[in-house]
Amino acid sequence: MMTFALVGTRFPALRTSPINARSGSRSLRRGSSVRLDYVRRNPTTKARISGTSHDIDPVSSTVAAMGKVLVLAAESDDSSSSTDTSSNIEAISSGLELLPETTDLVSEEKADPEEEQTIVAPHIISEVSNDEENVEVEGQPKSIPPPGSGQRIYEIDPTLRGFSGHLDYRYSHYKKMREMIDQNEGGLDKFSCGYEKFGFQRSKNGITYREWAPGAEWATLIGDFNNWNPHANVMTKNEYGVWEVFVPNNADGSPPIPHGSRVKIRMDTPSGIKDSIPAWIKFSVQAPHEIPYNGIYYDPPEEERYVFKHPLPKAPKSLRIYESHVGMSSPEGKINTYVSFRDDVLPRIKRLGYNAVQIMAIQEHSNYASFGYHVTNFFAPSSRFGTPDELKSLIDRAHELGLLVLMDIVHSHASNNVLDGLNQFDGTDSHYFHSGSRGFHWIWDSRLFNYGCWEVLRFLLSNARWWLEEYKFDGFRFDGVTSMMYTHHGLGVGFTGNYNEYFGYAADVDAVVYLMLVNDMIHALFPEAVTIGEDVSGMPTFCIPVEDGGVGFDYRLHMAIPDKWIEFMELKDEDWKMGDIVHTLTNRRWLEKCVAYAESHDQALVGDKTLAFWLMDKDMYGFMALDRPSTPRIDRGIALHKMIRLLTMSLGGEGYLNFMGNEFGHPEWIDFPRGEQHLPNGVIVPGNNFSFDKCRRMFDLGDAEYLRYRGMQEFDQAMQHLEEKYEFMTSEHQYISRKDEGDKMIVFERGDLVFVFNFHWTNSYVNYRVGCLKSGKYKVVLDSDDKLFGGFNRIDHTAEYFSKEGRHDNRPWSFSVYAPSRTVIVYALDED
């Protein structure tokens, strides 16, 4: 990647103009003009900051330097202080317009004495001085292609023409954003490298620290390196709210901030004096016996840095994703580590036949029980599980095994934690987020980003790129996308498929345009990267390329499928409708790929039930041993568990996802360690005495040859390897020849395979004729009734099935099979 000296360079500045430019009805009325929110604050509205109170004396509060780097789990008596105060805040949104004027980024008095002065508008900081490190990634494009016409969506779906006003406005807004970024930032490539300018930047002469905090009136960098002296490294602020300080090297030439030492930024804000973890921090740690986290300056010497050894694998034709959580991936009641996951879990995933691992809870989150969805430090991998370099070794090992590594990234909201996160970072409620009620998600109890703010766009785009660039992730599963795309966040809304629900006043155009930008950046700079969006609404164009007018995701999570299976769990077998099942599985948009799943981590959480628990309930506790008699509930549960998963994989989409442990019907639920909660209204929420008993994965159950869990795991493994061999999920050929409500049969072709599902609870069918496309001799390639899979061994695997000419179920050929009750048998042409 090229570097550019900013010495004496002048860019157009950005002026504020008073207009509340948001999406929805206002955005539709303002035509193609582009307004990006800039925040001005006045003290009128009181906002309460929750958390632990700490008294701070900005003059005298100092802490002795540790004298050594902070090590995970190391005891320390040193601590820095944080504040808990109330504030008077008002956010007035306004647009940003381009001006021919320029401004200085920093004052000369704090600049690196051996570097020339950088002059740049704060909203145009993307180029890096030659003295700051910048490593080019081999094969990475230097630029991102310009936007396309955005009109192909109407060829794919002509009914969208009735909503061309909204869709064309959306695309013009996207194109205008691209134009502004190109003109003022040097392009999306440079704009998405904010981590090379903000945060801590090491040069040969010292370290420069920059932070965007327009609401702060005064700021200083404190930490172990300066004995927490608030006067030692006072920062300067430009007119756009960017604070900066240069810390020169020590006299012996050593770095002024030691690797592993604690750092924070202290600010005088409308809420009072507060200490915050730098927004762009690369690592943060909660020291033993302390409540707040500490930012860690992470810059290990070259000999200690992990060096990637293995190339990134190519994106597979079909995705078979193993959804996982590092912390709860141990059979023991503890928080597991990156190293243990690398050594113990990755080989299991490979053996099971999955080709991708999706890892949750990577971004640092101070609340472990949030499952990683209340992010506090967006650029920092969770320190609970190990160090950044240990995470890199995990990813490199996965690549060695040929596994893609997808990150569950959270850009839909942020933790409301004031001590550790972005909430009220500069003392206002409208810094990175919308102000007032629009900036809070009342169900998730979290903050909502303002995607119309220039610096928020820089932060989030750079965050996505950081994980791909620095850690070599192979893509993302974007969390909570439905919440992003609509101002109602999908709450209390039942999406029916009516296009007015997607392209009306409730659409948040700024958020959708951000998703278009991030997909554009990812796919241009990392062509093999995969993006998956968690969208329950069924937004049309969601998985159409941006250049064609779409949002740009590669896949959508097919979230209707698990809801349908849970719905069926509450019905009697005779009330299961074959047509309803098939419709749910196949109800997806043409040319928009889906990742299907029968259940994910959501269904495993406390308060919900996994499919295995729905099906077998308390019988799982006493009747899963093979040396004991089974029960009708166990027999039914194991049979349906296998059928549901294969039917979901074979008809539900072009990708498949399973949450770790569910492949063998992991018993019980997930419950993170937690204590008793006392709510403001007086209600007491019981805890679990901080127990890890329900926050682990007992893989030994699936491996135990004497337990029935083993059969379910063996079937899941056979299912994955069947797809690997025949690639039926991505085959263009799919034909459903039978949905028989009386026989409870589903028969279909997918690729070169014929799937025969018999959901009847008692009836087995002899000489049952099934249609097929091709003539020849067929053989059994997967049988859920196999004894290995916990079945009753009713199928002869040596039998041959010869097709007969003549139309049957609208197919040109057919052959007769034996279809035992509650089984699925898969047939393939015998090419021998």
Side-chain angles (χ1 to χ4, degrees):
M1 188 181 300
M2 296 178 64
T3 58
F4 299 85
L6 294 180
V7 179
T9 305
R10 301 179 71 83
F11 293 93
L14 299 170
R15 175 192 293 152
T16 62
S17 61
I19 179 170
N20 187 359
R22 299 303 307 141
S23 49
S25 58
R26 291 175 180 168
S27 69
L28 290 173
R29 289 201 296 265
R30 71 177 187 260
S32 60
S33 62
V34 176
R35 304 293 188 198
L36 299 173
D37 285 356
Y38 183 86
V39 182
R40 182 184 303 153
R41 298 158 175 90
N42 296 312
T44 57
T45 305
K46 178 165 288 188
R48 180 67 183 168
I49 305 175
S50 60
T52 304
S53 298
H54 298 271
D55 295 326
I56 290 182
D57 181 352
V59 176
S60 62
S61 178
T62 60
V63 180
M66 296 176 62
K68 61 179 181 179
V69 299
L70 182 63
V71 180
L72 290 175
E75 296 288 343
S76 172
D77 295 330
D78 301 328
S79 62
S80 61
S81 301
S82 300
T83 60
D84 173 14
T85 59
S86 300
S87 63
N88 293 324
I89 305 167
E90 177 182 79
I92 302 175
S93 298
S94 62
L96 293 175
E97 295 179 345
L98 298 179
L99 286 176
E101 304 300 328
T102 61
T103 59
D104 291 348
L105 174 64
V106 296
S107 64
E108 295 185 10
E109 57 186 347
K110 289 296 180 180
D112 183 340
E114 297 188 28
E115 293 182 356
E116 298 183 62
Q117 177 65 36
T118 297
I119 303 176
V120 61
H123 300 286
I124 314 169
I125 305 173
S126 64
E127 297 170 349
V128 184
S129 66
N130 286 325
D131 201 28
E132 293 179 358
E133 296 181 2
N134 187 12
V135 181
E136 181 178 346
V137 176
E138 184 178 355
Q140 181 175 302
K142 295 292 191 293
S143 63
I144 297 174
S149 67
Q151 298 297 299
R152 186 168 177 263
I153 52 173
Y154 303 122
E155 299 174 18
I156 296 171
D157 182 0
T159 61
L160 289 172
R161 295 189 185 278
F163 300 86
S164 60
H166 177 97
L167 290 165
D168 288 348
Y169 164 74
R170 185 178 82 180
Y171 201 74
S172 68
H173 186 46
Y174 155 76
K175 290 176 70 175
K176 186 65 176 178
M177 287 300 308
R178 282 290 307 272
E179 179 183 341
M180 292 177 67
I181 292 171
D182 289 345
Q183 290 177 353
N184 303 293
E185 298 282 357
L188 193 54
D189 184 0
K190 298 186 181 71
F191 188 51
S192 59
C193 288
Y195 48 83
E196 294 178 345
K197 201 66 183 179
F198 284 95
F200 293 92
Q201 303 300 323
R202 173 82 180 278
S203 69
K204 65 181 180 182
N205 300 307
I207 296 172
T208 302
Y209 169 58
R210 298 186 185 95
E211 197 74 73
W212 177 61
E217 299 299 326
W218 173 86
T220 183
L221 178 63
I222 56 176
D224 294 328
F225 76 100
N226 64 8
N227 204 32
W228 300 91
N229 181 356
H231 303 295
N233 299 99
V234 176
M235 305 177 72
T236 58
K237 176 185 179 182
N238 75 354
E239 62 184 290
Y240 295 100
V242 176
W243 294 87
E244 178 170 332
V245 65
F246 174 75
V247 186
N249 287 336
N250 297 323
D252 61 359
S254 61
I257 306 177
H259 162 61
S261 60
R262 299 174 298 176
V263 289
K264 284 194 174 182
I265 177 174
R266 178 169 294 174
M267 293 174 283
D268 186 359
T269 76
S271 303
I273 300 293
K274 70 187 296 282
D275 291 357
S276 294
I277 296 174
W280 298 72
I281 199 73
K282 304 304 189 297
F283 196 47
S284 64
V285 169
Q286 184 182 38
H289 314 301
E290 290 188 6
I291 293 176
Y293 274 62
N294 285 291
I296 301 298
Y297 178 73
Y298 197 84
D299 186 22
E302 288 293 333
E303 63 271 15
E304 296 180 13
R305 297 184 182 185
Y306 186 83
V307 178
F308 287 90
K309 305 174 183 66
H310 304 285
L312 278 64
K314 298 291 184 181
K317 188 176 180 181
S318 58
L319 278 176
R320 301 185 302 277
I321 305 169
Y322 197 82
E323 185 185 31
S324 58
H325 183 285
V326 171
M328 58 179 293
S329 63
S330 171
E332 303 174 38
K334 65 177 184 179
I335 296 178
N336 209 13
T337 66
Y338 296 126
V339 171
S340 177
F341 189 93
R342 176 196 69 197
D343 295 341
D344 301 331
V345 182
L346 287 179
R348 167 181 293 273
I349 296 171
K350 178 66 175 179
R351 173 172 54 83
L352 288 174
Y354 292 86
N355 58 17
V357 54
Q358 177 181 300
I359 307 180
M360 307 171 62
I362 290 295
Q363 295 165 291
E364 188 60 86
H365 48 290
S366 59
N367 180 13
Y368 187 47
S370 73
F371 228 136
Y373 291 119
H374 280 200
V375 176
T376 44
N377 309 121
F378 282 77
F379 288 82
S382 179
S383 59
R384 287 183 183 87
F385 317 135
T387 68
D389 287 282
E390 288 169 340
L391 173 59
K392 290 178 181 179
S393 73
L394 182 161
I395 295 170
D396 200 27
R397 171 60 173 152
H399 290 163
E400 182 184 10
L401 293 171
L403 297 171
L404 263 66
V405 187
L406 306 177
M407 175 178 163
D408 198 345
I409 197 169
V410 184
H411 282 181
S412 51
H413 62 128
S415 171
N416 66 1
N417 184 323
V418 176
L419 289 178
D420 305 319
L422 295 180
N423 188 20
Q424 303 196 30
F425 182 86
D426 68 348
T428 71
D429 82 330
S430 53
H431 183 197
Y432 283 91
F433 313 105
H434 289 291
S435 61
S437 61
R438 187 173 180 185
F440 289 87
H441 196 293
W442 62 275
I443 292 292
W444 294 344
D445 190 27
S446 55
R447 297 305 312 270
L448 299 174
F449 286 106
N450 178 0
Y451 302 101
C453 175
W454 192 267
E455 291 304 323
V456 172
L457 288 178
R458 186 199 307 279
F459 184 83
L460 294 177
L461 288 167
S462 299
N463 184 243
R465 182 168 180 175
W466 167 255
W467 294 107
L468 297 172
E469 195 95 69
E470 181 72 14
Y471 288 88
K472 312 302 181 190
F473 278 97
D474 300 289
F476 301 110
R477 177 259 198 194
F478 280 82
D479 172 71
V481 175
T482 302
S483 175
M484 297 172 66
M485 295 192 298
Y486 308 97
T487 55
H488 53 59
H489 310 300
L491 301 176
V493 177
F495 291 94
T496 65
N498 187 313
Y499 281 13
N500 289 294
E501 298 166 350
Y502 309 113
F503 309 124
Y505 292 154
D508 189 331
V509 175
D510 287 338
V512 176
V513 167
Y514 162 69
L515 293 172
M516 296 166 73
L517 289 170
V518 74
N519 275 300
D520 220 7
M521 181 270 293
I522 290 171
H523 290 125
L525 299 180
F526 307 89
E528 292 294 323
V530 175
T531 61
I532 304 169
E534 186 196 30
D535 171 40
V536 71
S537 74
M539 161 74 79
T541 75
F542 190 76
C543 295
I544 299 297
V546 175
E547 63 185 14
D548 296 330
V551 183
F553 285 98
D554 294 308
Y555 297 86
R556 152 194 286 119
L557 282 178
H558 201 331
M559 301 179 71
I561 297 175
D563 291 342
K564 178 59 64 176
W565 287 126
I566 296 302
E567 177 185 321
F568 273 49
M569 292 298 104
E570 299 175 334
L571 300 177
K572 296 179 181 179
D573 287 7
E574 53 265 37
D575 294 328
W576 285 32
K577 301 298 182 184
M578 303 298 101
D580 193 8
I581 295 173
V582 170
H583 173 74
T584 301
L585 292 169
T586 58
N587 184 25
R588 52 187 189 272
R589 297 183 58 80
W590 184 50
L591 295 183
E592 300 197 40
K593 296 187 291 186
C594 288
V595 172
Y597 61 105
E599 55 186 342
S600 68
H601 69 274
D602 289 324
Q603 288 72 39
L605 286 170
V606 61
D608 208 334
K609 288 183 179 181
T610 63
L611 288 177
F613 214 59
W614 272 107
L615 291 166
M616 293 176 279
D617 204 53
K618 65 179 185 297
D619 282 20
M620 296 181 74
Y621 295 119
F623 300 97
M624 293 300 284
L626 289 172
D627 61 355
R628 296 183 184 181
S630 182
T631 67
R633 178 178 285 175
I634 291 294
D635 291 342
R636 173 183 181 269
I638 291 176
L640 290 178
H641 189 271
K642 293 178 289 185
M643 296 176 69
I644 287 170
R645 301 174 83 77
L646 182 54
L647 185 55
T648 299
M649 170 186 261
S650 54
L651 272 188
E654 293 75 23
Y656 177 78
L657 178 142
N658 165 67
F659 179 66
M660 65 178 186
N662 287 355
E663 68 273 9
F664 61 82
H666 197 289
E668 299 185 321
W669 53 88
I670 297 170
D671 191 9
F672 283 86
R674 53 191 171 85
E676 187 176 83
Q677 287 183 287
H678 295 260
L679 302 182
N681 60 5
V683 174
I684 299 176
V685 179
N688 62 10
N689 199 28
F690 298 99
S691 171
F692 283 87
D693 183 60
K694 300 293 190 296
C695 194
R696 56 191 177 123
R697 294 283 92 177
M698 294 182 284
F699 293 118
D700 51 317
L701 297 179
D703 295 339
E705 296 182 359
Y706 56 88
L707 295 177
R708 291 186 168 87
Y709 296 106
R710 177 66 178 270
M712 291 188 283
Q713 178 170 285
E714 290 288 346
F715 180 79
D716 191 88
Q717 179 172 320
M719 187 172 81
Q720 306 304 324
H721 287 288
L722 181 76
E723 204 289 323
E724 181 179 20
K725 179 178 181 179
Y726 290 97
E727 298 183 332
F728 55 82
M729 283 198 299
T730 53
S731 172
E732 294 182 1
H733 176 64
Q734 175 179 302
Y735 191 90
I736 301 165
S737 58
R738 177 163 293 222
K739 297 172 289 184
D740 195 308
E741 302 296 348
D743 293 344
K744 297 300 179 185
M745 293 287 294
I746 299 175
V747 180
F748 60 89
E749 303 155 25
R750 191 87 192 261
D752 292 330
L753 302 179
V754 178
F755 294 78
V756 180
F757 287 82
N758 180 3
F759 278 95
H760 204 282
W761 51 100
T762 58
N763 291 354
S764 297
Y765 304 107
V766 179
N767 293 325
Y768 200 87
R769 187 155 291 277
V770 298
C772 59
L773 175 65
K774 298 179 180 179
S775 65
K777 180 176 68 174
Y778 284 79
K779 63 179 180 180
V780 173
V781 291
L782 185 61
D783 167 22
S784 69
D785 203 43
D786 193 311
K787 189 175 181 63
L788 176 65
F789 307 143
F792 295 98
N793 217 26
R794 289 171 284 179
I795 295 293
D796 180 3
H797 292 180
T798 65
E800 298 174 335
Y801 304 85
F802 293 92
S803 62
K804 179 181 178 180
E805 189 174 6
R807 300 199 71 79
H808 179 80
D809 286 344
N810 205 31
R811 309 310 287 147
W813 300 84
S814 63
F815 57 95
S816 295
V817 301
Y818 173 45
S821 61
R822 288 190 182 134
T823 63
V824 51
I825 316 297
V826 185
Y827 300 88
L829 274 171
D830 190 346
E831 304 292 350
D832 297 337

